[in-house]
């Protein structure tokens, strides 16, 4: 489905070469790197649904689809303050459901984080059923029905939303998939591609011969070429027809490209970002050009959700959850730490930058060793030593020749 291609492209651009550095806590850095390794896949899943809920499990994180949580409270900015989470276990014909209600409450002038857990039994997954004790389910016997956590500044969950307003259900706190505005166009694109594929499969040359010729070949065990087919042509036994179908490639490609353009634009990409080439299939831009403002703004919106306008986005909430639970169980030391989140510049071109810096060297605007450190992976010491050796050879005329070349 092309909707998956859109989600994958957004995820690739959003998290392209992202780096998260934590200064002051090496163990927390390790835990965050494990999560970052899966974040691009989760970004793709978030784009394809109404967002994801990230929830602490005590020893890690889980990413939940909307069917596994219900948002119960938000503030005026749309930040989620309380939610109920669901998990299921099936045993035979019975479904066991656990609910966890997470929220902050004011208790004796203190803001306390409360988790209330309950278990239910039902014959259907979509029914809550009858409440049962938590310890009646072996997998949940160690879970406390009521837990109060002191000292938390943020909840142990975070809603990872998409940067698109929910115009389908304005009362819902959930966002919408990135392709919600072009469902019909995606259906038309599937039809256009299927028609193109069917036309390609049916484009074989066929020679129609009288049925008597087919019967003669079968009677004498003669194997005919696959492009020969029999057809009853009446009394004229010598009648042979050639069928050479004509493919409407130009018309099909034009129609597909029109739909790709509409779909891409509605999903936040610049006009013409997606295109179809009959010899190579669906292509995307090899790089985002500086004039692709619509694409840049869309990806910037997704990155803002991750980093936050005040460094309070999803990535920082993930770090806080890992730190809070890690320091509680002793796996992460209690320290002061700073977080730096850097995203790759989408309009950056390595080869252009390399050529520009070499021109700086030739023009004498920067020392050569800086170029070798930046683009050749050398240390400053190695680069300076190489330049010094080259300058020695310059006395013999070799270095000047090297520069001219």
């Amino acid at each position: 489905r092309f909707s998956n291609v859109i989600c994958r492209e957004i995820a690739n651009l959003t998290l392209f070469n992202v780096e998260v550095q934590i200064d002051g806590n090496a163990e927390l850095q390790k835990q965050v790197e494990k999560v970052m390794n899966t974040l691009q896949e989760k970004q793709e899943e978030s784009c394809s649904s109404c967002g994801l809920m990230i929830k602490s499990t005590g020893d890690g994180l889980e990413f939940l689809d909307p069917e596994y949580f219900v948002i119960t409270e938000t503030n005026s900015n749309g930040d989620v303050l309380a939610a109920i989470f669901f998990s299921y276990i099936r045993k035979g014909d019975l479904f066991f459901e656990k609910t966890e209600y997470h929220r902050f409450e004011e208790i004796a002038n203190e803001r306390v984080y409360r988790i209330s857990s309950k278990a239910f039994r039902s014959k259907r997954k979509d029914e809550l059923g009858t409440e049962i004790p938590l310890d009646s389910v072996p997998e949940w016997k160690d879970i406390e029905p009521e837990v109060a956590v002191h000292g938390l500044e943020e909840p142990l969950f975070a809603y990872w939303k998409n940067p698109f307003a929910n115009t389908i259900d304005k009362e819902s706190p959930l966002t919408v998939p990135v392709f919600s505005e072009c469902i019909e166009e995606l259906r038309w694109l599937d039809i256009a591609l299927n028609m193109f594929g069917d036309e390609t499969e049916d484009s074989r040359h066929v020679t129609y011969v009288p049925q008597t010729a087919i019967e003669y070949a079968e009677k004498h065990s003669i194997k005919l070429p696959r492009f020969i087919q029999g057809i009853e042509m009446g009394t004229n036994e010598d009648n042979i027809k050639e069928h050479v179908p004509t493919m409407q490639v130009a018309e099909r490609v034009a129609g597909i490209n029109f739909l790709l353009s509409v779909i891409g634009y509605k999903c936040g990409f610049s006009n013409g970002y997606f295109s179809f080439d009959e010899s190579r299939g669906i292509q995307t831009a090899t790089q985002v050009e500086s004039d692709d403002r619509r694409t840049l703004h869309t990806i910037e919106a997704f990155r803002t959700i991750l980093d936050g306008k005040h460094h309070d986005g999803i990535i920082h909430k993930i770090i806080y959850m890992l730190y809070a639970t890690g320091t509680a169980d002793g796996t992460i030391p209690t320290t002061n730490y700073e977080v730096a989140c850097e995203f790759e510049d989408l309009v950056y071109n390595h080869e252009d930058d390399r050529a520009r810096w070499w021109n700086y060297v030739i023009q004498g605007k920067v020392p050569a060793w800086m170029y070798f450190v930046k683009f050749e992976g050398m240390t400053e010491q190695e680069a300076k030593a190489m330049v010094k050796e080259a300058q020695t050879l310059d006395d013999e005329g070799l270095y000047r020749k090297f520069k001219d070349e």
Side-chain angles (χ1 to χ4, degrees):
R1 295 184 300 176
F2 193 72
S3 57
N4 293 337
V5 176
I6 295 170
C7 296
R8 190 171 300 117
E9 187 70 11
I10 289 176
N12 289 340
L13 293 174
T14 301
L15 288 159
F16 178 63
N17 283 350
V18 62
E19 290 188 7
V20 178
Q21 295 294 329
I22 299 177
D23 185 21
N25 198 316
E27 187 58 38
L28 180 58
Q29 176 78 54
K30 293 179 183 178
Q31 297 299 323
V32 171
E33 287 176 355
K34 292 179 182 178
V35 177
M36 293 303 297
N37 289 336
T38 65
L39 211 59
Q40 181 166 320
E41 177 184 341
K42 298 304 179 182
Q43 174 72 84
E44 186 176 334
E45 294 178 12
S46 176
C47 291
S48 65
S49 66
C50 300
L52 296 177
M53 186 70 82
I54 307 170
K55 173 178 166 290
S56 173
T57 61
D59 57 356
L61 300 174
E62 59 181 346
F63 295 79
L64 303 174
D65 291 326
E67 62 180 303
Y68 292 100
F69 66 87
V70 171
I71 296 173
T72 60
E73 184 183 356
T74 60
N75 61 17
S76 58
N77 295 325
D79 300 322
V80 179
L81 305 177
I84 300 175
F85 302 94
F86 308 97
S87 58
Y88 302 90
I89 296 176
R90 181 173 183 177
K91 296 184 178 182
D93 295 332
L94 295 177
F95 291 90
F96 296 87
E97 178 179 355
K98 176 170 66 71
T99 64
E100 292 183 15
Y101 179 27
H102 290 235
R103 76 281 187 194
F104 279 105
E105 291 183 355
E106 290 289 336
I107 301 176
N109 295 325
E110 182 185 3
R111 192 165 179 256
V112 180
Y113 190 74
R114 296 282 304 277
I115 304 175
S116 301
S117 300
K118 295 182 179 181
F120 299 86
R121 181 181 60 226
S122 174
K123 292 184 178 180
R124 294 176 55 182
K125 185 178 179 180
D126 57 354
E127 289 183 351
L128 192 58
T130 304
E131 184 175 355
I132 59 175
L134 279 166
D135 56 12
S136 65
V137 182
E139 292 83 353
W140 302 333
K141 61 183 179 61
D142 296 326
I143 297 177
E144 294 290 336
E146 294 290 338
V147 175
V149 184
H150 300 264
L152 287 181
E153 299 177 0
E154 298 181 22
L156 297 178
F157 62 86
Y159 177 49
W160 188 359
K161 61 183 180 180
N162 297 319
F164 298 100
N166 189 342
T167 58
I168 300 173
D169 183 2
K170 295 184 179 181
E171 299 299 321
S172 173
L174 300 177
T175 55
V176 293
V178 298
F179 48 81
S180 62
E181 293 293 331
C182 54
I183 300 296
E184 193 68 8
E185 288 85 351
L186 285 167
R187 187 179 71 85
W188 295 339
L189 179 63
D190 285 340
I191 293 173
L193 289 172
N194 288 334
M195 292 177 65
F196 195 8
D198 291 343
E199 192 172 277
T200 302
E201 290 183 352
D202 296 338
S203 63
R204 299 186 307 181
H205 166 267
V206 180
T207 300
Y208 292 105
V209 299
Q211 189 63 31
T212 53
I214 301 297
E215 294 173 355
Y216 179 87
E218 292 175 350
K219 183 177 180 180
H220 294 84
S221 301
I222 300 174
K223 186 176 181 180
L224 297 174
R226 64 179 181 84
F227 61 83
I228 293 181
Q229 296 184 18
I231 187 171
E232 187 59 55
M233 304 300 294
T235 58
N236 188 353
E237 295 295 330
D238 295 327
N239 199 344
I240 298 177
K241 296 291 184 180
E242 298 286 340
H243 175 63
V244 182
T246 302
M247 293 186 62
Q248 299 177 340
V249 175
E251 293 82 354
R252 298 291 187 206
V253 171
I256 290 172
N257 276 329
F258 172 76
L259 290 172
L260 287 174
S261 181
V262 173
I263 291 169
Y265 190 83
K266 283 191 171 185
C267 291
F269 290 93
S270 300
N271 192 34
Y273 185 88
F274 297 101
S275 64
F276 184 86
D277 184 279
E278 59 267 29
S279 63
R280 293 180 295 169
I282 292 175
Q283 305 292 306
T284 60
T286 55
Q287 72 176 86
V288 180
E289 302 293 346
S290 58
D291 59 346
D292 289 338
R293 294 186 180 274
R294 186 174 176 85
T295 301
L296 291 172
H297 291 167
T298 298
I299 300 305
E300 185 62 31
F302 278 93
R303 289 180 170 182
T304 299
I305 289 175
L306 287 174
D307 192 19
K309 293 183 178 179
H310 305 288
H311 304 296
D312 54 356
I314 288 297
I315 289 178
H316 298 271
K317 294 180 185 297
I318 287 175
I319 294 172
Y320 179 79
M321 283 187 274
L322 293 174
Y323 180 77
T325 55
T327 53
D329 61 21
T331 57
I332 294 177
T334 303
T335 64
N336 293 324
Y337 64 88
E338 294 184 358
V339 179
C341 185
E342 295 185 2
F343 294 90
E344 182 80 9
D345 185 357
L346 290 178
V347 298
Y348 174 77
N349 186 293
H350 180 78
E351 293 304 319
D352 290 347
D353 196 25
R354 186 187 187 102
R356 183 165 52 250
W357 269 74
W358 183 245
N359 284 331
Y360 293 158
V361 173
I362 294 175
Q363 296 168 9
K365 294 181 179 179
V366 297
W369 67 265
M370 292 182 64
Y371 171 87
F372 296 124
V373 170
K374 184 175 179 65
F375 296 101
E376 301 298 341
M378 297 182 183
T379 65
E380 181 176 336
Q381 184 178 3
E382 291 172 341
K384 287 182 175 179
M386 188 179 74
V387 171
K388 184 177 181 180
E389 182 179 354
Q391 288 172 342
T392 302
L393 295 175
D394 187 35
D395 295 337
E396 303 173 8
L398 297 178
Y399 187 63
R400 185 175 297 106
K401 180 181 179 181
F402 170 71
K403 288 198 298 183
D404 292 339
E405 293 177 350

